[in-house]
Amino acid sequence: MAANSRGSTPAPPNASADPLVALASLPGVAEAVDSVRKGVDRVYGHRIMRRRSNEVTAEAALRGARGSAALAGADWALEEVRRRTDFGVGGEPRTVGAALRLTAEAGQLLSVWRQSPLRVLARLHLVAAGGEAADETVGRPRLAAEPVDEPLIELALPDADEVAGRLDGLARLLLAGSEAPALVTAAVVHGELLALRPFGSCNGLVARAAERIVLVGSGLDPKAICPAEMGHAELGRAAYVAALEGYVSGAPEGVAAWIAHCGRAVDLGSRESTAVCEALQRGAA
């Protein structure tokens, strides 16, 4: 994928050749992109990153997984996530375990994503589902009449044919590459997966992991230190769903609001990691 790095600015709109670039010209999107770039640059420029970046990455991964799990209904304190090991049991522990596994797996799939986004999505669902449903429904898009368990998202559910068509279109768009800023591409991937809910379960977890892959693989956040998942959780479930509804509406202002919402989430993630850097510098973490 050829999304721009954090130093890039949106190109002029050209909807026919690069629809993602057209989205970058929507009102408020350029400001969101610029805010994200500045926030990410700030944390990457912190002096602690020169010698302890691995620790910052590890903390960001933990916070990102906690945030994604919280949006999926398992809102645990960070220290609870850090100390627990019983993620094989059902309910909330399984959700937190799935989020942790996805965060770890996402970094291993960057090269595959550039060649086959759909293969990566299938892998992410397999990792998220774990032993929850070890049957033929795991790791593939749902078929007609198959149920979807995604309690947070109550929007109308596209049918299986629409899901297949739009997933194929999204994959083609990603493989073609884009000159749009990474934030725009990541927000569209995230929004499409939530709108489609292509799998029988774990769609939100998978969508947020895919957003992470785009942000890291694009070069915006190569060390994965700006956990957007944490930012989404901090902004709250109600705001998350409301912004998604704007995206699903297809109205320009709704799509722009969703991209801006994703930008705020990345901003909050970068601020969190800046605080981690400050704590490490003080010897407090």
Side-chain angles (χ1 to χ4, degrees):
M1 189 189 307
N4 284 357
S5 69
R6 58 183 178 274
S8 303
T9 55
N14 184 348
S16 60
D18 191 344
L20 294 177
V21 167
L23 298 182
S25 70
L26 291 173
V29 172
E31 291 82 355
V33 168
D34 187 56
S35 178
V36 165
R37 178 186 57 79
K38 289 178 179 176
V40 173
D41 283 349
R42 189 176 301 114
V43 66
Y44 271 86
H46 198 285
R47 60 186 300 178
I48 209 74
M49 287 295 295
R50 290 196 294 271
R51 51 194 174 85
R52 301 181 71 178
S53 64
N54 288 343
E55 293 173 71
V56 181
T57 295
E59 285 297 315
L62 192 69
R63 286 160 167 77
R66 193 215 72 80
S68 193
L71 287 171
D75 192 1
W76 290 10
L78 182 63
E79 290 309 313
E80 184 79 356
V81 177
R82 196 190 301 277
R83 74 173 184 82
R84 291 278 287 269
T85 58
D86 57 334
F87 301 120
V89 299
E92 291 188 4
R94 187 180 293 278
T95 299
V96 175
L100 289 166
R101 291 193 302 273
L102 282 172
T103 301
E105 186 77 7
Q108 311 300 315
L109 297 172
L110 298 175
S111 61
V112 183
W113 178 264
R114 298 185 184 101
Q115 301 170 17
S116 178
L118 297 185
R119 182 178 164 196
V120 169
L121 294 177
R123 174 62 184 169
L124 290 175
H125 186 242
L126 186 66
V127 169
E132 183 175 301
D135 58 36
E136 73 279 1
T137 69
V138 176
R140 65 152 173 79
R142 56 187 167 85
L143 304 178
E146 288 184 345
V148 173
D149 179 17
E150 198 68 46
L152 175 62
I153 309 301
E154 297 179 351
L155 300 170
L157 193 66
D159 64 30
D161 288 341
E162 182 179 351
V163 168
R166 285 172 63 177
L167 280 179
D168 182 67
L170 179 63
R172 289 175 181 272
L173 186 65
L174 294 170
L175 290 172
S178 175
E179 292 301 316
L183 173 65
V184 174
T185 304
V188 168
V189 168
H190 187 169
E192 275 295 290
L193 293 175
L194 282 178
L196 295 176
R197 283 147 288 164
F199 302 109
S201 63
C202 305
N203 288 288
L205 293 170
V206 168
R208 291 183 288 275
E211 180 186 49
R212 168 181 284 265
I213 288 172
V214 175
L215 293 172
V216 173
S218 67
L220 175 68
D221 181 20
K223 293 183 181 293
I225 59 171
C226 301
E229 307 97 323
M230 187 234 78
H232 284 300
E234 188 167 327
L235 289 167
R237 296 176 75 178
Y240 187 66
V241 172
L244 176 64
E245 288 174 350
Y247 176 83
V248 172
S249 76
E253 60 272 20
V255 175
W258 168 252
I259 296 170
H261 182 87
C262 291
R264 288 191 291 274
V266 178
D267 278 339
L268 288 169
S270 66
R271 291 178 193 177
E272 181 80 357
S273 285
T274 299
V276 169
C277 287
E278 293 294 328
L280 288 169
Q281 188 166 279
R282 295 191 306 268

